[in-house]
Amino acid sequence: MSVIGELALSALFQVLFNKITSPDFSKIFHKEKVDADVKMWKRTLLKIHAVLDDAEERQMTSKLVKVWLDELRDLAYDVEDILDEFATEALRCKLNAESSTSNKVRKLIPVCCVSLNPSSVMFDANMRSKIKDINTRLQEIVTQKNDLQLRDCVGGRTRTSRPKLPTTSLVEGLVYGRKEDQKAIVDLLLSSELHNAQLSVIPIVGMGGLGKTTLAQQVYNDDEVKGYFDLKAWVCVSEDFDIVRVTKVILQSVTTETCDVNDLNLLQIKLKEKLYGKKFLLILDDVWNDNYNDWTKLRCPFEFGAPGSKILITTQNDRVSSIMGTTQAYKLKELSNDACLSVFTQNALGTTSFSAHPELEEIGRKVLERCKGLPLAAKALGGLLRTIPDRDEWKYVLNSKIWDMSAENNDVLPTLRLSYLYLPSNLKRCFAYCSLFPKDYEFEEKELVLLWMAEGLLQEIGQKPMEDLGAEYFRDLHRRSFFQQSSRNKSLFVMHDLINDLAQWAAGDLCYRLEDKLGGDKQLNISTKVRHFSYIRCYYDGITRCEDFPKDKRLRTFLPLPIENSGYLTNFVPSCLLP
């Protein structure tokens, strides 16, 4: 299971805490006389939750820690199932009571006897057994936690993975397919309409790996831009939005002098003096922070520049764009197939075509299909195959998940993973659930919201209707570039293939997607850890096997299905899915 599973586990813990402490559940626990057990669960889970960060880091190097996390995750989901069973039983008893008391004959029967029906007795017996099992497993988890000497990371986690390198203003290598985008941004920077504005902020928005930073680098080094501004500065903001650090870097950029001052007031006064009356261009690359107060504090010195000063920001988040931008965001699109091909072959073969290696062209184009217009993916895949003109090796890359490839030469995973890490906990599970969607599947907002609701993935907030809450979740994921509007129908949405891969990585083995893998006497071994299951069936003109017709002609039905953790699925074809 991937590290992301533990991040979703942290989000699940929050759901459990919310349920355990809610007034409605407290009444149920008191009625069923399980108060003491549930209070013990809460205390124990709080202690375990405190060491999750340390466990997440150590699982990379310790198989025992990874096994412990797997067992903990299964236990947490079983606890959630029991809480849901309590809620269901409480609702059943309420409905039975209402039905019974409405019957004149049953009114003669004492209320205490009404509740003593076979269903209630069976529920009590089953629940006592399950609670006992949870208590035993919880104690084992705590004992193992102590044996593993997992630490309470009060001060936050210490990353052991390779840190993300900051970007610079220098363009790396050759750039393909962005001439029109470069011209559009340069025109905005030199626009006469914005010339008289005191300060204009222009956002470039798009999903990770699209080349926003590369485009900003091209613009920063454009000859027309160089001659238009008095001062230029480049800052890689990244996920650490430290106002003192960012201000200091900007000051050092415009003065070309080192600065040892760490007082924000002194730094901003100095920066104001340097920018006063000058027309400047500032690039804020890779911005994640969407706190409006942080932005207003940072921008104070920028207000003293000359009219026509510009700030160009790059971000994956539309909310960042709306908070910081003063102009409409520039939405960066995927590269054309030809441009993406040039990026791939340049990095793989040192040329812009397959002319020197025609035997690799067919499989090379299949590898390239996986990039879906993302230059970062094309560059990463090309880099993996560089100086290896071997068809077998290229086939291996074609059939491998991009996450399984060499971490030293693959920036796609950390780039997209950061997008997931920055999701609020309430969105992590909802996004991971989307791994059930097949690639290229177009879905409606309402469709996905109803699925989230049915799976209990929405965290209730006051009296807000669940449909409205789900719509907020959906729009937030859309703003963060996880969903894109379909080019075919603006009322539908789709996930980029690599975002779909990210969702599968996020879900780990919690979700299982079956795409026409059934047939004949095949027996599929489905992990008992699976919590969500979907079946996708292709059909076209009476043909029901995907491999029997061209990919572009396929029509697919998608259906999420409940799954019992039996471990096996044999010759399973629901009749409702037959064409």
Side-chain angles (χ1 to χ4, degrees), residues 33 42 66 80 114 200 303 370 393 415 495 502 509 529 577:
K33 299 179 181 180
K42 181 183 177 183
K66 184 180 181 300
E80 184 185 35
V114 173
S200 299
E303 304 290 350
R370 302 184 59 189
E393 187 68 23
T415 297
M495 290 191 295
L502 179 67
D509 53 11
K529 301 179 187 300
L577 295 179

Short mmCIF file of all heavy atoms in Angstrom, two decimals, residues 33 42 66 80 114 200 303 370 393 415 495 502 509 529 577:
data_model
loop_
_atom_site.label_atom_id
_atom_site.label_comp_id
_atom_site.label_asym_id
_atom_site.label_seq_id
_atom_site.Cartn_x
_atom_site.Cartn_y
_atom_site.Cartn_z
N LYS A 33 -25.69 0.78 25.72
CA LYS A 33 -24.79 0.49 26.84
C LYS A 33 -23.38 0.13 26.39
O LYS A 33 -22.78 -0.85 26.84
CB LYS A 33 -25.38 -0.64 27.70
CG LYS A 33 -26.75 -0.31 28.30
CD LYS A 33 -27.30 -1.46 29.11
CE LYS A 33 -28.67 -1.09 29.68
NZ LYS A 33 -29.27 -2.20 30.49
N LYS A 42 -12.00 6.08 21.55
CA LYS A 42 -11.58 7.45 21.26
C LYS A 42 -10.21 7.74 21.86
O LYS A 42 -9.32 8.29 21.19
CB LYS A 42 -12.61 8.44 21.79
CG LYS A 42 -12.24 9.89 21.50
CD LYS A 42 -13.23 10.86 22.11
CE LYS A 42 -12.78 12.31 21.87
NZ LYS A 42 -13.69 13.28 22.51
N LYS A 66 4.99 -0.86 8.00
CA LYS A 66 4.00 -0.89 6.91
C LYS A 66 2.88 -1.87 7.23
O LYS A 66 1.69 -1.58 7.02
CB LYS A 66 4.68 -1.28 5.60
CG LYS A 66 3.75 -1.24 4.39
CD LYS A 66 4.50 -1.62 3.13
CE LYS A 66 3.57 -1.55 1.92
NZ LYS A 66 2.42 -2.44 2.03
N GLU A 80 -15.52 2.24 11.73
CA GLU A 80 -16.50 3.08 11.03
C GLU A 80 -17.74 2.25 10.66
O GLU A 80 -18.88 2.72 10.79
CB GLU A 80 -15.88 3.68 9.78
CG GLU A 80 -16.83 4.65 9.07
CD GLU A 80 -16.28 5.17 7.75
OE1 GLU A 80 -15.58 4.41 7.05
OE2 GLU A 80 -16.55 6.33 7.43
N VAL A 114 -41.77 -3.95 22.88
CA VAL A 114 -41.70 -3.70 21.44
C VAL A 114 -40.27 -3.83 20.94
O VAL A 114 -39.99 -4.33 19.85
CB VAL A 114 -42.26 -2.30 21.11
CG1 VAL A 114 -42.02 -1.98 19.64
CG2 VAL A 114 -43.74 -2.25 21.44
N SER A 200 -0.66 45.24 -11.48
CA SER A 200 -1.50 44.18 -12.07
C SER A 200 -0.92 42.82 -11.72
O SER A 200 0.30 42.62 -11.77
CB SER A 200 -1.57 44.33 -13.60
OG SER A 200 -2.13 45.57 -13.95
N GLU A 303 2.95 48.04 -3.79
CA GLU A 303 2.05 49.14 -4.14
C GLU A 303 2.80 50.44 -4.46
O GLU A 303 2.22 51.39 -4.98
CB GLU A 303 1.07 49.40 -2.99
CG GLU A 303 0.24 48.20 -2.56
CD GLU A 303 -0.79 47.79 -3.59
OE1 GLU A 303 -1.00 48.56 -4.56
OE2 GLU A 303 -1.38 46.72 -3.43
N ARG A 370 0.38 8.00 -23.05
CA ARG A 370 0.17 8.05 -21.61
C ARG A 370 0.35 9.47 -21.06
O ARG A 370 -0.16 9.79 -20.00
CB ARG A 370 1.16 7.13 -20.90
CG ARG A 370 1.07 5.69 -21.32
CD ARG A 370 2.00 4.83 -20.51
NE ARG A 370 1.69 4.91 -19.09
CZ ARG A 370 2.45 4.38 -18.14
NH1 ARG A 370 3.55 3.73 -18.46
NH2 ARG A 370 2.12 4.51 -16.87
N GLU A 393 12.83 -2.74 -23.35
CA GLU A 393 12.84 -1.75 -22.29
C GLU A 393 11.71 -0.74 -22.48
O GLU A 393 11.06 -0.32 -21.53
CB GLU A 393 14.20 -1.03 -22.25
CG GLU A 393 14.39 -0.10 -21.06
CD GLU A 393 14.49 -0.84 -19.74
OE1 GLU A 393 14.86 -2.04 -19.77
OE2 GLU A 393 14.19 -0.24 -18.70
N THR A 415 5.40 15.85 -8.20
CA THR A 415 4.65 17.03 -8.64
C THR A 415 3.16 16.85 -8.42
O THR A 415 2.48 17.72 -7.87
CB THR A 415 4.92 17.31 -10.13
OG1 THR A 415 6.31 17.60 -10.31
CG2 THR A 415 4.10 18.48 -10.63
N MET A 495 -11.28 13.30 -15.76
CA MET A 495 -9.97 13.40 -15.11
C MET A 495 -8.88 13.10 -16.14
O MET A 495 -9.03 12.17 -16.94
CB MET A 495 -9.84 12.41 -13.95
CG MET A 495 -10.71 12.74 -12.75
SD MET A 495 -10.28 11.74 -11.29
CE MET A 495 -10.73 10.10 -11.85
N LEU A 502 -3.17 9.08 -10.28
CA LEU A 502 -2.95 9.62 -8.94
C LEU A 502 -4.05 9.15 -7.99
O LEU A 502 -3.78 8.81 -6.83
CB LEU A 502 -2.92 11.15 -8.99
CG LEU A 502 -2.71 11.88 -7.66
CD1 LEU A 502 -1.33 11.60 -7.10
CD2 LEU A 502 -2.93 13.38 -7.82
N ASP A 509 -5.11 -0.11 -2.07
CA ASP A 509 -5.94 -1.29 -2.34
C ASP A 509 -7.33 -1.17 -1.72
O ASP A 509 -8.02 -2.16 -1.54
CB ASP A 509 -5.24 -2.58 -1.84
CG ASP A 509 -4.82 -2.47 -0.38
OD1 ASP A 509 -5.26 -1.51 0.29
OD2 ASP A 509 -4.08 -3.35 0.09
N LYS A 529 -9.14 -6.37 1.71
CA LYS A 529 -9.01 -4.98 2.14
C LYS A 529 -9.83 -4.02 1.28
O LYS A 529 -9.97 -2.85 1.61
CB LYS A 529 -7.54 -4.56 2.11
CG LYS A 529 -6.63 -5.40 2.99
CD LYS A 529 -5.18 -4.93 2.90
CE LYS A 529 -4.25 -5.88 3.64
NZ LYS A 529 -4.56 -5.99 5.06
N LEU A 577 -25.92 -5.39 -16.32
CA LEU A 577 -24.87 -4.76 -17.11
C LEU A 577 -24.75 -5.34 -18.51
O LEU A 577 -23.98 -4.86 -19.32
CB LEU A 577 -23.52 -4.89 -16.39
CG LEU A 577 -23.42 -4.15 -15.06
CD1 LEU A 577 -22.05 -4.38 -14.45
CD2 LEU A 577 -23.65 -2.66 -15.26
#
